[in-house]
CSV table of all heavy atoms in Angstrom, one decimal:
chain,number,residue,atom,x,y,z
A,15,VAL,N,-5.7,-11.3,-0.8
A,15,VAL,CA,-5.6,-10.4,-1.9
A,15,VAL,C,-6.1,-9.0,-1.5
A,15,VAL,O,-7.2,-8.9,-0.9
A,15,VAL,CB,-6.5,-10.9,-3.1
A,15,VAL,CG1,-6.5,-9.9,-4.3
A,15,VAL,CG2,-6.0,-12.2,-3.6
A,16,CYS,N,-5.3,-8.0,-1.7
A,16,CYS,CA,-5.6,-6.6,-1.3
A,16,CYS,C,-6.0,-5.8,-2.5
A,16,CYS,O,-5.2,-5.7,-3.5
A,16,CYS,CB,-4.3,-6.0,-0.6
A,16,CYS,SG,-3.7,-6.9,0.8
A,17,LEU,N,-7.1,-5.1,-2.4
A,17,LEU,CA,-7.7,-4.4,-3.5
A,17,LEU,C,-8.1,-3.0,-3.1
A,17,LEU,O,-8.7,-2.8,-2.1
A,17,LEU,CB,-8.9,-5.1,-4.1
A,17,LEU,CG,-8.7,-6.5,-4.6
A,17,LEU,CD1,-10.0,-7.2,-5.0
A,17,LEU,CD2,-7.6,-6.6,-5.7
A,18,GLY,N,-7.7,-2.0,-3.9
A,18,GLY,CA,-8.0,-0.6,-3.6
A,18,GLY,C,-7.6,0.3,-4.8
A,18,GLY,O,-7.1,-0.2,-5.8
A,19,ALA,N,-7.9,1.6,-4.6
A,19,ALA,CA,-7.5,2.5,-5.7
A,19,ALA,C,-7.1,3.8,-5.0
A,19,ALA,O,-7.9,4.4,-4.3
A,19,ALA,CB,-8.7,2.7,-6.6
A,20,VAL,N,-5.9,4.2,-5.3
A,20,VAL,CA,-5.4,5.5,-4.8
A,20,VAL,C,-5.1,6.4,-6.0
A,20,VAL,O,-4.3,6.0,-6.9
A,20,VAL,CB,-4.1,5.3,-4.0
A,20,VAL,CG1,-3.6,6.7,-3.4
A,20,VAL,CG2,-4.3,4.3,-2.8
A,21,ILE,N,-5.9,7.4,-6.1
A,21,ILE,CA,-5.8,8.3,-7.3
A,21,ILE,C,-5.2,9.6,-6.9
A,21,ILE,O,-5.7,10.3,-6.0
A,21,ILE,CB,-7.2,8.5,-7.9
A,21,ILE,CG1,-7.8,7.1,-8.3
A,21,ILE,CG2,-7.2,9.4,-9.1
A,21,ILE,CD1,-9.3,7.1,-8.7
A,22,ARG,N,-4.2,10.0,-7.6
A,22,ARG,CA,-3.4,11.2,-7.3
A,22,ARG,C,-4.3,12.5,-7.3
A,22,ARG,O,-5.2,12.6,-8.1
A,22,ARG,CB,-2.3,11.5,-8.3
A,22,ARG,CG,-1.4,12.6,-7.9
A,22,ARG,CD,-0.2,12.8,-8.9
A,22,ARG,NE,0.7,11.7,-9.0
A,22,ARG,CZ,1.6,11.3,-8.1
A,22,ARG,NH1,1.8,12.1,-7.1
A,22,ARG,NH2,2.4,10.3,-8.3
A,23,GLY,N,-4.2,13.3,-6.3
A,23,GLY,CA,-4.9,14.5,-6.1
A,23,GLY,C,-3.9,15.7,-6.2
A,23,GLY,O,-2.8,15.6,-6.6
A,24,ALA,N,-4.3,16.8,-5.6
A,24,ALA,CA,-3.5,18.0,-5.6
A,24,ALA,C,-2.5,18.1,-4.4
A,24,ALA,O,-1.7,19.0,-4.3
A,24,ALA,CB,-4.4,19.2,-5.6
A,25,THR,N,-2.5,17.1,-3.5
A,25,THR,CA,-1.7,17.1,-2.3
A,25,THR,C,-0.7,15.9,-2.3
A,25,THR,O,-1.0,14.9,-3.0
A,25,THR,CB,-2.5,17.2,-1.0
A,25,THR,OG1,-3.1,15.9,-0.9
A,25,THR,CG2,-3.5,18.3,-1.1
A,26,PRO,N,0.3,15.9,-1.5
A,26,PRO,CA,1.2,14.8,-1.4
A,26,PRO,C,0.6,13.6,-0.6
A,26,PRO,O,1.3,12.6,-0.5
A,26,PRO,CB,2.4,15.3,-0.7
A,26,PRO,CG,2.0,16.6,0.0
A,26,PRO,CD,0.8,17.1,-0.8
A,27,HIS,N,-0.6,13.7,-0.2
A,27,HIS,CA,-1.3,12.6,0.5
A,27,HIS,C,-1.2,11.3,-0.3
A,27,HIS,O,-1.0,10.2,0.2
A,27,HIS,CB,-2.7,13.0,0.8
A,27,HIS,CG,-3.5,12.0,1.6
A,27,HIS,ND1,-3.2,11.7,2.9
A,27,HIS,CD2,-4.5,11.1,1.2
A,27,HIS,CE1,-4.1,10.8,3.4
A,27,HIS,NE2,-4.8,10.4,2.4
A,28,PHE,N,-1.4,11.4,-1.6
A,28,PHE,CA,-1.3,10.2,-2.5
A,28,PHE,C,0.0,9.4,-2.3
A,28,PHE,O,-0.1,8.2,-2.1
A,28,PHE,CB,-1.4,10.7,-4.0
A,28,PHE,CG,-1.0,9.7,-5.0
A,28,PHE,CD1,-2.0,8.9,-5.5
A,28,PHE,CD2,0.3,9.5,-5.4
A,28,PHE,CE1,-1.6,7.9,-6.5
A,28,PHE,CE2,0.7,8.5,-6.4
A,28,PHE,CZ,-0.3,7.7,-6.9
A,29,ASP,N,1.1,10.1,-2.3
A,29,ASP,CA,2.4,9.4,-2.1
A,29,ASP,C,2.5,8.7,-0.8
A,29,ASP,O,2.9,7.5,-0.8
A,29,ASP,CB,3.6,10.4,-2.2
A,29,ASP,CG,3.6,11.1,-3.6
A,29,ASP,OD1,3.6,10.3,-4.6
A,29,ASP,OD2,3.6,12.3,-3.7
A,30,MET,N,2.0,9.3,0.3
A,30,MET,CA,2.1,8.7,1.6
A,30,MET,C,1.2,7.4,1.6
A,30,MET,O,1.6,6.3,2.0
A,30,MET,CB,1.6,9.6,2.7
A,30,MET,CG,1.8,9.1,4.1
A,30,MET,SD,0.4,8.3,4.8
A,30,MET,CE,-0.9,9.5,4.7
A,31,VAL,N,0.0,7.5,1.1
A,31,VAL,CA,-0.9,6.4,1.2
A,31,VAL,C,-0.4,5.2,0.3
A,31,VAL,O,-0.4,4.1,0.7
A,31,VAL,CB,-2.4,6.8,0.8
A,31,VAL,CG1,-3.3,5.6,0.6
A,31,VAL,CG2,-2.9,7.8,1.8
A,32,ALA,N,0.0,5.6,-0.9
A,32,ALA,CA,0.5,4.6,-1.9
A,32,ALA,C,1.7,3.8,-1.3
A,32,ALA,O,1.8,2.6,-1.3
A,32,ALA,CB,0.8,5.2,-3.2
A,33,ASN,N,2.7,4.6,-0.8
A,33,ASN,CA,3.9,4.0,-0.3
A,33,ASN,C,3.6,3.1,1.0
A,33,ASN,O,4.1,2.0,1.1
A,33,ASN,CB,4.9,5.1,0.1
A,33,ASN,CG,5.5,5.7,-1.2
A,33,ASN,OD1,5.5,5.1,-2.3
A,33,ASN,ND2,5.9,7.0,-1.1
A,34,GLU,N,2.9,3.7,1.9
A,34,GLU,CA,2.7,3.0,3.2
A,34,GLU,C,1.8,1.8,3.0
A,34,GLU,O,2.0,0.7,3.7
A,34,GLU,CB,2.1,3.9,4.2
A,34,GLU,CG,3.1,5.0,4.7
A,34,GLU,CD,4.4,4.5,5.1
A,34,GLU,OE1,4.5,3.5,5.9
A,34,GLU,OE2,5.5,5.1,4.7
A,35,SER,N,0.8,1.8,2.1
A,35,SER,CA,0.0,0.6,1.9
A,35,SER,C,0.8,-0.5,1.3
A,35,SER,O,0.7,-1.7,1.7
A,35,SER,CB,-1.3,0.9,1.1
A,35,SER,OG,-0.9,1.4,-0.2
A,36,ALA,N,1.7,-0.1,0.3
A,36,ALA,CA,2.5,-1.2,-0.3
A,36,ALA,C,3.5,-1.8,0.7
A,36,ALA,O,3.7,-3.0,0.7
A,36,ALA,CB,3.3,-0.5,-1.5
A,37,LYS,N,4.1,-0.9,1.5
A,37,LYS,CA,5.1,-1.4,2.5
A,37,LYS,C,4.3,-2.3,3.5
A,37,LYS,O,4.9,-3.4,3.9
A,37,LYS,CB,5.7,-0.3,3.3
A,37,LYS,CG,6.9,0.4,2.5
A,37,LYS,CD,7.6,1.3,3.5
A,37,LYS,CE,7.5,2.7,3.1
A,37,LYS,NZ,8.1,3.7,4.0
A,38,GLY,N,3.2,-1.9,3.9
A,38,GLY,CA,2.4,-2.7,4.9
A,38,GLY,C,2.0,-4.1,4.4
A,38,GLY,O,2.0,-5.1,5.1
A,39,ILE,N,1.6,-4.1,3.1
A,39,ILE,CA,1.2,-5.4,2.5
A,39,ILE,C,2.4,-6.3,2.4
A,39,ILE,O,2.3,-7.5,2.8
A,39,ILE,CB,0.6,-5.1,1.1
A,39,ILE,CG1,-0.7,-4.5,1.2
A,39,ILE,CG2,0.5,-6.4,0.3
A,39,ILE,CD1,-1.3,-3.9,-0.1
A,40,ALA,N,3.6,-5.8,2.0
A,40,ALA,CA,4.8,-6.6,2.0
A,40,ALA,C,5.1,-7.1,3.4
A,40,ALA,O,5.5,-8.3,3.6
A,40,ALA,CB,5.9,-5.8,1.4
A,41,ALA,N,5.0,-6.3,4.4
A,41,ALA,CA,5.4,-6.6,5.7
A,41,ALA,C,4.4,-7.7,6.2
A,41,ALA,O,4.8,-8.7,6.9
A,41,ALA,CB,5.3,-5.4,6.6
A,42,ALA,N,3.1,-7.6,5.9
A,42,ALA,CA,2.1,-8.6,6.4
A,42,ALA,C,2.5,-10.0,5.8
A,42,ALA,O,2.4,-11.0,6.5
A,42,ALA,CB,0.7,-8.2,5.9
A,43,SER,N,2.9,-10.0,4.5
A,43,SER,CA,3.2,-11.3,3.9
A,43,SER,C,4.5,-11.9,4.6
A,43,SER,O,4.5,-13.1,4.9
A,43,SER,CB,3.4,-11.1,2.4
A,43,SER,OG,3.6,-12.3,1.8
A,44,LEU,N,5.5,-11.1,4.8
A,44,LEU,CA,6.7,-11.5,5.4
A,44,LEU,C,6.5,-12.0,6.8
A,44,LEU,O,7.1,-13.0,7.3
A,44,LEU,CB,7.8,-10.5,5.2
A,44,LEU,CG,8.3,-10.2,3.8
A,44,LEU,CD1,9.2,-9.0,3.8
A,44,LEU,CD2,9.0,-11.4,3.2
A,45,LYS,N,5.7,-11.2,7.5
A,45,LYS,CA,5.5,-11.5,9.0
A,45,LYS,C,4.8,-12.8,9.2
A,45,LYS,O,5.0,-13.6,10.1
A,45,LYS,CB,4.8,-10.4,9.6
A,45,LYS,CG,4.6,-10.6,11.1
A,45,LYS,CD,3.9,-9.4,11.8
A,45,LYS,CE,3.7,-9.7,13.3
A,45,LYS,NZ,3.2,-8.5,14.0
A,46,THR,N,3.8,-13.1,8.3
A,46,THR,CA,2.9,-14.3,8.5
A,46,THR,C,3.3,-15.5,7.7
A,46,THR,O,2.9,-16.6,8.0
A,46,THR,CB,1.5,-13.9,8.1
A,46,THR,OG1,1.4,-13.6,6.7
A,46,THR,CG2,0.9,-12.8,8.9
A,47,GLY,N,4.1,-15.3,6.6
A,47,GLY,CA,4.5,-16.4,5.8
A,47,GLY,C,3.4,-16.8,4.8
A,47,GLY,O,3.5,-17.8,4.1
A,48,VAL,N,2.4,-16.0,4.7
A,48,VAL,CA,1.2,-16.2,3.8
A,48,VAL,C,1.3,-15.2,2.7
A,48,VAL,O,1.6,-14.1,2.9
A,48,VAL,CB,-0.1,-16.0,4.6
A,48,VAL,CG1,-1.3,-16.1,3.7
A,48,VAL,CG2,-0.2,-17.1,5.7
A,49,ALA,N,1.0,-15.7,1.5
A,49,ALA,CA,1.1,-14.8,0.3
A,49,ALA,C,0.0,-13.7,0.5
A,49,ALA,O,-1.2,-14.0,0.7
A,49,ALA,CB,0.8,-15.6,-1.0
A,50,VAL,N,0.4,-12.5,0.4
A,50,VAL,CA,-0.5,-11.3,0.5
A,50,VAL,C,-0.2,-10.5,-0.8
A,50,VAL,O,0.9,-9.9,-0.9
A,50,VAL,CB,-0.3,-10.5,1.8
A,50,VAL,CG1,-1.3,-9.3,1.8
A,50,VAL,CG2,-0.5,-11.3,3.0
A,51,THR,N,-1.1,-10.4,-1.7
A,51,THR,CA,-0.8,-9.8,-3.0
A,51,THR,C,-1.4,-8.4,-3.0
A,51,THR,O,-2.4,-8.1,-2.4
A,51,THR,CB,-1.3,-10.6,-4.2
A,51,THR,OG1,-2.8,-10.7,-4.1
A,51,THR,CG2,-0.7,-12.0,-4.2
A,52,ASN,N,-0.7,-7.5,-3.8
A,52,ASN,CA,-1.0,-6.1,-3.9
A,52,ASN,C,-1.8,-5.8,-5.1
A,52,ASN,O,-1.2,-5.8,-6.2
A,52,ASN,CB,0.3,-5.3,-3.8
A,52,ASN,CG,0.0,-3.8,-3.7
A,52,ASN,OD1,-1.1,-3.3,-3.9
A,52,ASN,ND2,1.0,-3.0,-3.4
């Protein structure tokens, strides 16, 4: 189970962190065959 909080600020950093963490979590689940929840 993956837990965190990304809160939008004044820069586009939010979008990068939110998108890449979600993609990485999905990839970890698919690569390992183990349920990894976001």
